[in-house]
């Protein structure tokens, strides 16, 4: 399985970015059997959960630090999960990672390689 993130970059405070994570190569189960999440890791800090969406796309959860600013969504027809990030601030600077976990077998999970988001003026 391959998860490929894209959409990162440099943005000014108050700006927006939309991250995408395209998944391919599923053999055990199809993409719609996986809950998807975005994590981030800032320099010198532990990786933290940003947002999660369930396999059907009907349930989402967010870290308190991004509630009201970030929106996670998915398109199961395209095997892609998105993270719309608005009102970005310097504290959002991090490498953002996509994560897939099988909704019934948690030991089946995969990580993307990450995409850098830098918020700076």
């Amino acid at each position: 399985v391959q998860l490929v993130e894209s959409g990162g970059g440099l943005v000014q405070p108050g700006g927006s970015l939309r991250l995408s994570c395209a998944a391919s190569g599923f053999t055990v189960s199809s993409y719609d059997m996986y809950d998807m999440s975005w994590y981030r890791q800032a320099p010198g800090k532990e990786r933290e959960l940003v947002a999660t969406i369930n396999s059907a796309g009907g349930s989402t959860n967010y870290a308190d630090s991004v509630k009201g600013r970030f929106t996670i969504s998915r398109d199961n027809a395209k095997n892609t999960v998105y993270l719309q990030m608005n009102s970005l601030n310097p504290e959002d600077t991090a490498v953002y990672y996509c994560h897939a976990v099988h909704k019934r077998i948690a030991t089946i999970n995969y990580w993307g390689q990450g995409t850098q988001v830098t918020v700076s003026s």
Side-chain angles (χ1 to χ4, degrees):
V1 173
Q2 205 173 16
L3 303 178
V4 179
E5 300 100 332
S6 60
L10 174 63
V11 62
Q12 292 187 340
S16 298
L17 281 175
R18 188 194 195 205
L19 305 183
S20 299
C21 171
S24 62
F26 290 97
T27 56
V28 175
S29 300
S30 57
Y31 178 72
D32 61 2
M33 291 294 289
Y34 289 81
D35 297 332
M36 300 298 296
S37 297
W38 287 96
Y39 285 75
R40 67 185 181 186
Q41 188 166 20
K45 295 187 177 181
E46 293 188 354
R47 190 171 297 188
E48 64 171 347
L49 178 63
V50 175
T52 296
I53 188 166
N54 72 343
S55 57
S59 177
T60 58
N61 284 287
Y62 298 91
D64 287 343
S65 58
V66 306
K67 278 181 183 176
R69 300 188 298 123
F70 289 13
T71 302
I72 188 170
S73 61
R74 66 189 292 163
D75 184 340
N76 285 353
K78 295 182 178 180
N79 286 11
T80 301
V81 62
Y82 306 97
L83 186 68
Q84 177 66 44
M85 306 186 294
N86 299 328
S87 302
L88 286 161
N89 58 62
E91 290 69 39
D92 295 316
T93 296
V95 178
Y96 284 71
Y97 297 91
C98 178
H99 184 242
V101 58
H102 195 284
K103 70 177 187 179
R104 295 191 182 131
I105 309 170
T107 53
I108 300 176
N109 67 93
Y110 307 96
W111 289 94
Q113 83 289 348
T115 185
Q116 176 70 47
V117 172
T118 302
V119 185
S120 175
S121 55

